[in-house]
Amino acid sequence: MVFEEQAGELIDDLCHELRTPLAVINCVLDNISLNLRKKRNGKQNCSGCIKFIRVARHNTLHAVEIINQILKSHRTQSKRLQPARKKIIIRQFLADVFFGLGNAFRRKNVILRRDVDPRIRWVYADPVFLKQILVNLLTNAIKFSPANARVLVKINKKTKRINGHVKRFVQVSVHDNGVGIAPIHIGRIFVRGSGPAGKVLGLSIVRSLVECHNGKIWVKSREGKGSEFSFILPEA
């Protein structure tokens, strides 16, 4: 019975996490096909195809990373994720994440913006885990936002006194003006199997990835007004 439950969780995780990169790849291939048809009709050159192929490759590699990380976590007895922390240049990292999701945002004409504290040049985190956190939060933002909406990623510094010592953190927030979350779901939004369908599984994974960095995640939301998901990671 325990084995069946673990296998079921693994399948759920794989299905949810692979959905986004594979959907992007499908969209990219459609664009390549359209560009090639236009070229054949003499209407356009194929310079755009190179960009679309880069996006498809980017998301294919990301899908492989997801499979490797999920399988790794399910093979450990403790189920405790072990992040491979590295110094990440945050502006370039964000640019790569935005690039990978660009087609998804363009299809809905959602404007993606970033606001990074100039004092923050890098963060110390697992790049695969951090990418998946951002991809999940941004995918939810576009999914539950109307056409022509705006999504803002904001990154700034935070300090907190813990046991008499000042601890420094990097806070990342993803704000959208979508449908929002009903108050009844707020308390359990990060729990697997609870809350609005289609959102909670991804958020339970996000919470695990944040917490394995000794971080914390929370949400502020007003139904019909939008949501802001925020998480903090230790600066070092």
Side-chain angles (χ1 to χ4, degrees):
M1 188 66 177
V2 173
F3 172 78
E4 291 177 356
E5 290 177 358
Q6 291 176 346
E9 289 181 4
L10 175 59
I11 292 170
D12 284 345
D13 288 352
L14 285 171
C15 290
H16 185 279
E17 298 308 303
L18 291 176
R19 186 181 301 146
T20 297
L22 293 178
V24 173
I25 292 169
N26 184 59
C27 176
V28 166
L29 294 176
D30 285 343
N31 283 330
I32 292 174
S33 177
L34 177 62
N35 273 22
L36 290 174
R37 286 199 299 270
K38 287 182 177 179
K39 181 185 179 183
R40 191 163 55 243
N41 294 332
K43 295 180 180 179
Q44 180 178 326
N45 62 39
C46 202
S47 59
C49 294
I50 297 175
K51 179 180 178 181
F52 292 138
I53 291 171
R54 284 179 58 208
V55 175
R57 177 172 173 75
H58 177 93
N59 282 276
T60 301
L61 292 175
H62 184 46
V64 172
E65 290 174 345
I66 291 169
I67 293 172
N68 289 338
Q69 291 296 339
I70 291 177
L71 290 175
K72 181 180 177 181
S73 69
H74 279 266
R75 284 170 179 165
T76 59
Q77 278 191 336
S78 65
K79 297 291 185 70
R80 173 69 175 175
L81 295 169
Q82 299 294 331
R85 291 181 174 88
K86 298 179 181 178
K87 184 182 286 189
I88 300 171
I89 307 300
I90 192 60
R91 289 181 181 275
Q92 183 58 52
F93 188 82
L94 268 183
D96 290 343
V97 173
F98 285 10
F99 176 77
L101 292 173
N103 277 346
F105 279 87
R106 283 190 290 272
R107 288 180 72 180
K108 208 168 180 180
N109 202 27
V110 172
I111 298 172
L112 184 57
R113 293 283 184 260
R114 63 184 179 186
D115 180 6
V116 181
D117 187 326
R119 297 173 298 171
I120 302 175
R121 296 186 58 191
W122 55 273
V123 295
Y124 195 57
D126 184 306
V128 176
F129 288 178
L130 182 57
K131 179 189 289 185
Q132 195 57 38
I133 292 168
L134 289 170
V135 167
N136 278 25
L137 294 180
L138 288 169
T139 300
N140 281 332
I142 187 173
K143 179 179 180 180
F144 293 95
S145 291
N148 305 310
R150 292 176 179 269
V151 173
L152 173 66
V153 178
K154 189 171 183 178
I155 303 179
N156 50 35
K157 284 180 175 284
K158 293 291 181 180
T159 59
K160 187 175 182 181
R161 186 172 292 275
I162 301 176
N163 298 326
H165 299 282
V166 176
K167 301 290 185 180
R168 293 180 174 82
F169 299 89
V170 173
Q171 179 172 314
V172 181
S173 299
V174 177
H175 175 81
D176 67 67
N177 54 359
V179 298
I181 303 167
I184 191 173
H185 296 310
I186 290 290
R188 294 180 59 80
I189 193 69
F190 296 105
V191 178
R192 178 191 292 272
S194 302
K199 212 171 187 183
V200 171
L201 177 59
L203 293 178
S204 69
I205 294 170
V206 166
R207 184 190 64 178
S208 297
L209 297 178
V210 170
E211 290 180 349
C212 78
H213 285 85
N214 297 318
K216 180 181 178 182
I217 186 167
W218 66 94
V219 61
K220 296 178 181 178
S221 183
R222 289 179 61 193
E223 197 168 9
K225 298 293 184 180
S227 303
E228 183 177 76
F229 285 85
S230 300
F231 62 93
I232 56 173
L233 301 176
E235 191 173 62

